[in-house]
Amino acid sequence: PLVLDGGMGHLLRRKGIEISGPLGSLQRFLGVAMANRDEPELVIDAHRDFLRAGADIITTNTYACVPAAIGSNDDLVLDLIQQGGRLAQAARDQHIGDAPSSSRRPLIAGCLPPLHESYRPDRVGDTRELTAVYAKIVEAIAPFSDVLLCETMSSVSEARAAAHAASSTGKPVWVSWTLDDDSSGRLRSGETVQQAVTALASIPHVELYSVNCSSPDAIDAGVAALREVEAADIPFGAYANGFSQSFRTADVGTEYDEELTTDIYADRADRWISAGASLVGGCCGVFPEHIATVATSLD
């Protein structure tokens, strides 16, 4: 199995970048997006932390590089996306220079995020917006990417639009949905994983399905749902977030689940792998120390 990195935005916060605002809101990650321009060495260092931890794949720091967060300045949005790609490449080049020659070459996943607030299927744009904005994001990030990762998709239509845009490059496309934390195994829109996968059946180059940025219990349910999908020829992945239950429900209290130790997270990842996952990693609130324990467990 491949090991994906963890939450870049929250690692950058640990390094001094501000994250504030309600869970899922775009303003939380505005400072993280601007770090591509204002704190490039910090972004490179964060990527390298995950690579040193054993990640096989790093995700571009472009999750919040969308017009709804940055503003109507298209040139700035595209510059931040392209800079995010360059920084990921620089981090990989530096890591390769320091690593033994026998080490596996890390991959770069170009991020295609939600265009509005995370976890809000009601805020997914119409077809015209989805098509136009994802086409611009793909054009900007694809030259720096080995795969294109449509992640934290909360509805069938959102994922389909992102995957369709990504497939135009001919590069591998990975699609990952965020799930309702009620452990129903359904997308946050209420749609089923089966419906989500079926909607992608006609899109070429989609090579992996995944579930992400939900509680570990919700990811367990999502993995079970993916195993039942009638697309057994396509591998699947899983990567949870590390938010506390109180913070998920009311945006109050301790943000991170202090009981989610590195060993417990690695045990969860082992469970997903035992269920058939070909990709494991982490999302918001999962740090290099978690990824290191996951990678060590796999070794």
Side-chain angles (χ1 to χ4, degrees), residues 17-177:
I17 300 297
E18 181 180 0
I19 293 181
S20 60
L23 181 63
S25 64
L26 286 171
Q27 64 261 38
R28 276 175 63 81
F29 283 93
L30 181 58
V32 172
M34 297 305 295
N36 287 344
R37 183 191 68 182
D38 301 335
E39 298 281 357
E41 292 303 320
L42 213 59
V43 176
I44 291 174
D45 189 51
H47 280 310
R48 295 204 64 195
D49 282 352
F50 282 119
L51 290 170
R52 285 187 287 262
D56 302 303
I57 308 151
I58 53 174
T59 308
T60 57
N61 182 45
T62 52
Y63 188 86
C65 296
V66 293
I70 306 300
S72 58
N73 186 339
D74 282 354
D75 289 341
L76 177 59
V77 172
L78 296 179
D79 182 63
L80 289 172
I81 294 172
Q82 291 168 341
Q83 179 67 351
R86 294 187 193 99
L87 296 177
Q89 287 191 332
R92 177 173 65 183
D93 290 345
Q94 291 180 21
H95 179 75
I96 290 173
D98 294 341
S101 58
S102 60
S103 298
R104 180 158 52 183
R105 182 176 184 268
L107 300 176
I108 295 174
C111 177
L112 274 70
L115 302 185
H116 295 280
E117 292 90 342
S118 300
Y119 321 135
R120 291 286 303 274
D122 59 309
R123 294 284 290 135
V124 172
D126 58 24
T127 301
R128 178 181 296 181
E129 179 189 15
L130 291 168
T131 300
V133 178
Y134 278 131
K136 291 179 181 179
I137 292 173
V138 167
E139 183 179 5
I141 199 60
F144 307 97
S145 308
D146 299 298
V147 302
L148 294 171
L149 174 59
C150 312
E151 65 175 346
T152 322
M153 303 282 101
S154 62
S155 73
V156 168
S157 62
E158 184 176 44
R160 179 174 173 79
H164 188 271
S167 71
S168 67
T169 66
K171 293 189 174 187
V173 178
W174 297 353
V175 180
S176 191
W177 297 277

Side-chain angles (χ1 to χ4, degrees), residues 218-243:
I219 296 297
D220 286 349
V223 166
L226 283 170
R227 290 187 66 186
E228 296 174 0
V229 166
E230 297 175 2
D233 56 325
I234 295 183
F236 68 86
Y239 52 112
N241 62 34
F243 292 134

